Amino acid sequence: MQQLCDRLGVADYTQLHRLSLDEGFRFHMEAMRHLDFEWYEPPKALMSADADPRLPSWFPGGWLNWVHNALKHGERVESAQRPALICVSEGGVEQTTSYEALRHEVRSKAAGLADEGIGRGDTVGLMLPMGKDAVVAFLALSAVGAIAVPLFTGYGVDAIVARLDACGAKALICTTAMARRGQRIDLRERVSDAARRLPSLRLVLLAASDEPLQLQHLSERRWETLGQGLLPRAPETMQPNDPFMVVYTSGTTGRPKGAVHTHGGFPVKIVEDCAYHFDLHAGERWLWPSDVGWIVAPITIVGALCLGATLVCYDGAPDHPDWSRLSETVSRHGVTHFGASPTLLRGMAEHAGHSLKPSRDTLRILISAGEVLPEETFQWYFKDYGQGRCPVINYTGGTEVSGAILGNVITRPIKASGFNAPSLAVDVAAFDAGGHACIGAVGELVVRRPFIGMTRGFWREERRYFESYWERFPGVWAHGDLLLTDTDGHHFIKGRSDDTLKIAGKRVGPAEVEALAHVRGVREVAAVGVDDPHKGQRLVLVAIADEGVSADLDTIGHSMSLAVQTGLGKPFSPARIHWVAELPRTRNGKVLRRLIRSALEGKAIGDTSALDNPHALKSLTALSPPSPTPAAASAA
């Protein structure tokens, strides 16, 4: 960060951020020179003057292929033999791939894809465990100008079909089995059923699979042999606004939304974020466990490889055979940068006897993203896991904006659970209901001008994209999060704006309620506002008890109600508390409060394909809508 300040002639992050807004083209071009991000032909401007700001056309006149920046390290003497990938399987198998070997394999697979008729503009599903095959496939697709469509490996048939049918996928790269907690998970039936329902599908490439699916209407090839005997193929020359990825993000109603990301948007933003938020350098080692279908996987692939770092991949459950697994990987492979969702961190903290046992002395930076990071989890991450010496980079953005809207930078003080800086070139504010920026009060998180990395709309659904983000405050991106900015300029996410509780006309974010309700004996709690004819909404808590709690649930519930009432006032006393075994959450650990609310109100649930545990809704839908009786705890 300081190197970039010096190059641009500014004193500190505040001046750097101002320059990134006022002189965007100068800022990005200097940042790319600083980070050795290469173009085939440099652009002439930041944005086309006649472009719709909701769909900006970035870097006119430029030509590139982002994959070139990952593969260039493989032809340089100083980096060719550096590990690009260290892939660890749940079963303990480890595989290291140098940058030179990665370059050769990606170019070989690109030749194979082209030989199979996959090329510029073709959409291709990618459903593989996070490892070498997934990384090589992701790079090779972009190299030939195709568009990767990452899929969560836990998706059911309907979810796979919904996404690949929506984008007219021509091919699918997948596996037929994977391991979790020592068990083999057979995917053959799921993949076969999905393939039969996809009329646009022409080719299935099977990785780490011994037997073909024998689908008569499709061509099947083994990924391992693809490209053998062909001349390696250099990356295609692409325009900055050519798509390279469509990532589907699921709402609670309607179809999944396909966020489109481009060669000159997502990679530029991610490389800048990884350098200036995470302080990631060439030769360092980064582990952030993720499924290919979560946006973290593309972030780590692009960021680590373009900057010449080593990406450490772990494919498996984080608690198998016990909760020391990830820390052992950190220790064994000298990881310098470690990332995790708050949900994963809570699990590690609850099993600290295992997770803190291996050495973590090589760690330099800790990262968290995906949901609100509670203060107690932040403190454990910093003080215990990071031994009080590694800054915690809280990072928030989303599938639709690729990288950070807000984050932490190591040149500023960091407050627990907060964000100490708007990301570079991002104009962030909290808006009140009238569309005015507010300080010291909860408002809507907005971005007041377009920035590099924002999605170029939803795949073939322009109108839906505009309605989703640009119409709440005309000409301003409304992100859907609640934001509090304090008088010191630090920012705090207070939950989703459509999860906002409005009890008797008073607004409060769910995270604030949940922090108060997290009393002794409670493992996790979700706060939702359920329709009430008198108050508009009444507060309902859905909670998971700690294992082996000695007190009865009514007593714990009373303590929760008292804590919320004491902290927020009598109007916010919970109308009811439900005890459940699980909360419905996405594959990256986010609790979907809107689904909880719909289930409790007896309304249509909508799309559940993003859920990692859809069965968790059953106990909620079995409940009758809560009665408006005051603060009573009931066991469900």
Side-chain angles (χ1 to χ4, degrees):
M1 181 72 73
Q2 191 58 50
Q3 288 174 3
L4 184 62
C5 287
D6 294 344
R7 292 172 72 109
L8 286 166
V10 297
D12 55 23
Y13 188 86
T14 300
Q15 292 184 16
L16 181 64
H17 184 262
R18 185 72 258 165
L19 183 146
S20 72
L21 295 177
D22 294 344
E23 301 180 59
F25 186 56
R26 179 187 168 209
F27 162 75
H28 284 296
M29 295 305 293
E30 190 59 44
M32 285 186 281
R33 281 190 288 269
H34 179 215
L35 302 177
D36 192 29
F37 188 92
E38 296 180 347
W39 290 67
Y40 297 148
E41 180 69 30
K44 309 301 183 187
L46 178 64
M47 186 191 306
S48 295
D50 58 349
D52 184 333
R54 299 172 299 178
L55 290 171
S57 182
W58 299 109
F59 298 123
W63 294 89
L64 80 163
N65 189 308
W66 77 264
V67 175
H68 163 78
N69 288 283
L71 302 188
K72 68 190 178 189
H73 306 291
E75 53 184 338
R76 296 176 176 177
V77 173
E78 68 275 14
S79 55
Q81 298 310 311
R82 180 188 303 155
L85 304 173
I86 298 174
C87 300
V88 182
S89 74
E90 188 181 85
V93 176
E94 297 182 356
Q95 183 180 28
T96 299
T97 305
S98 69
Y99 268 102
E100 183 178 55
L102 180 67
R103 179 176 182 270
H104 174 77
E105 184 148 358
V106 170
R107 287 159 57 96
S108 175
K109 297 302 183 192
L113 289 170
D115 191 57
E116 292 291 342
I118 302 298
R120 191 181 299 264
D122 291 330
T123 49
V124 179
L126 182 59
M127 196 173 84
L128 292 171
M130 188 60 182
K132 178 183 174 184
D133 287 339
V135 174
V136 169
F138 187 75
L139 292 165
L141 288 170
S142 289
V144 298
I147 303 167
V149 185
L151 299 171
F152 174 43
T153 51
Y155 274 151
V157 175
D158 289 345
I160 296 169
V161 171
R163 287 153 177 78
L164 296 187
D165 190 45
C167 67
K170 185 175 180 178
L172 171 63
I173 306 173
C174 63
T175 187
T176 56
M178 60 184 185
R180 287 296 180 272
R181 293 186 173 86
Q183 302 296 315
R184 183 181 185 274
I185 299 176
D186 193 339
L187 304 178
R188 289 173 55 81
E189 183 176 353
R190 194 185 313 174
V191 172
S192 296
D193 288 351
R196 293 187 186 98
R197 292 168 53 186
L198 292 167
S200 62
L201 204 64
R202 296 289 180 268
L203 172 68
V204 174
L205 290 162
L206 297 175
S209 301
D210 295 329
E211 299 179 12
L213 296 175
Q214 297 180 337
L215 297 169
Q216 295 181 356
H217 67 296
L218 293 174
S219 295
E220 290 184 44
R221 299 287 185 272
R222 291 191 61 181
W223 176 253
E224 288 77 7
T225 60
L226 186 73
Q228 288 183 359
L230 300 176
L231 290 175
R233 187 182 182 94
E236 293 288 322
T237 299
M238 309 298 291
Q239 293 185 339
N241 298 288
D242 287 337
F244 82 94
M245 178 172 64
V246 174
V247 186
Y248 279 90
T249 177
S250 188
T252 55
T253 59
R255 304 174 308 281
K257 302 170 292 187
V260 178
H261 290 293
T262 64
H263 279 262
F266 183 104
V268 175
K269 168 64 173 166
I270 294 306
V271 168
E272 291 177 357
D273 278 9
C274 291
Y276 304 131
H277 283 294
F278 305 153
D279 199 40
L280 182 66
H281 295 259
E284 294 191 305
R285 297 187 172 190
W286 188 9
L287 169 64
W288 191 345
S290 172
D291 190 273
V292 169
W294 185 23
I295 195 64
V296 162
I299 286 174
T300 55
I301 293 170
V302 171
L305 299 182
C306 288
L307 288 172
T310 298
L311 179 60
V312 181
C313 302
Y314 174 68
D315 169 31
D319 58 350
H320 184 80
D322 60 46
W323 281 93
S324 68
R325 189 57 187 268
L326 294 178
S327 300
E328 286 177 353
T329 305
V330 167
S331 179
R332 180 175 175 81
H333 296 291
V335 169
T336 57
H337 292 61
F338 179 74
S341 69
T343 295
L344 175 56
L345 293 175
R346 283 192 292 268
M348 294 170 68
E350 290 171 5
H351 299 85
H354 289 294
S355 64
L356 297 181
K357 189 175 181 179
S359 170
R360 302 171 308 286
D361 291 345
T362 58
L363 286 175
R364 193 169 69 77
I365 298 287
L366 302 176
I367 305 165
S368 181
E371 56 181 311
V372 174
L373 179 62
E375 183 171 348
E376 62 181 22
T377 307
F378 178 101
Q379 296 289 6
W380 179 86
Y381 199 23
F382 172 65
K383 293 179 179 178
D384 295 299
Y385 198 78
Q387 302 166 314
R389 57 178 181 76
C390 301
V392 175
I393 308 303
N394 208 7
Y395 185 77
T396 189
T399 301
E400 301 90 333
V401 294
S402 66
I405 292 177
L406 296 164
N408 285 331
V409 295
I410 63 173
T411 57
R412 283 181 162 183
I414 295 172
K415 291 186 179 182
S417 304
F419 308 88
N420 67 10
S423 196
L424 291 168
V426 183
D427 187 5
V428 187
F431 269 16
D432 62 21
H436 305 290
C438 54
I439 303 293
V442 175
E444 291 275 351
L445 191 163
V446 302
V447 180
R448 291 179 284 199
R449 66 182 88 180
F451 67 90
I452 294 294
M454 296 175 79
T455 177
R456 193 166 172 75
F458 297 155
W459 185 261
R460 296 175 181 169
E461 290 190 292
E462 184 177 279
R463 181 70 252 160
R464 188 183 182 199
Y465 168 62
F466 292 159
E467 291 171 351
S468 296
Y469 293 105
W470 294 98
E471 294 189 354
R472 173 72 187 278
F473 304 103
V476 172
W477 172 284
H479 193 58
D481 281 341
L482 294 172
L483 178 66
L484 172 67
T485 301
D486 68 16
T487 54
D488 295 329
H490 290 250
H491 310 273
F492 300 86
I493 298 294
K494 294 297 184 179
R496 294 289 294 173
S497 58
D498 45 6
D499 290 338
T500 306
L501 303 165
K502 194 171 185 180
I503 311 297
K506 301 176 180 66
R507 288 166 57 95
V508 64
E512 192 170 0
V513 177
E514 291 159 7
L516 292 167
H518 203 275
V519 300
R520 183 183 297 275
V522 177
R523 179 181 175 187
E524 195 170 2
V525 61
V528 296
V530 175
D531 288 347
D532 183 277
H534 303 293
K535 293 185 176 182
Q537 284 186 334
R538 59 184 180 277
L539 174 62
V540 175
L541 303 180
V542 181
I544 303 172
D546 276 334
E547 294 181 11
V549 293
S550 56
D552 64 78
L553 297 182
D554 285 341
T555 300
I556 298 173
H558 178 73
S559 298
M560 296 168 71
S561 296
L562 184 61
V564 173
Q565 183 175 323
T566 302
L568 294 177
K570 190 174 180 179
F572 293 97
S573 184
R576 196 157 186 178
I577 299 172
H578 293 293
W579 297 96
V580 296
E582 291 183 76
L583 296 174
R585 59 180 76 249
T586 65
R587 58 188 179 275
N588 60 321
K590 285 186 181 179
V591 173
L592 289 182
R593 298 175 185 83
R594 286 169 289 173
L595 293 189
I596 295 173
R597 186 175 68 230
S598 295
L600 292 176
E601 291 178 341
K603 295 180 179 177
I605 299 297
D607 179 19
T608 62
S609 59
L611 284 178
D612 190 41
N613 57 342
H615 56 273
L617 287 171
K618 292 182 180 178
S619 61
L620 294 169
T621 54
L623 298 169
S624 58
S627 61
T629 54
S634 67

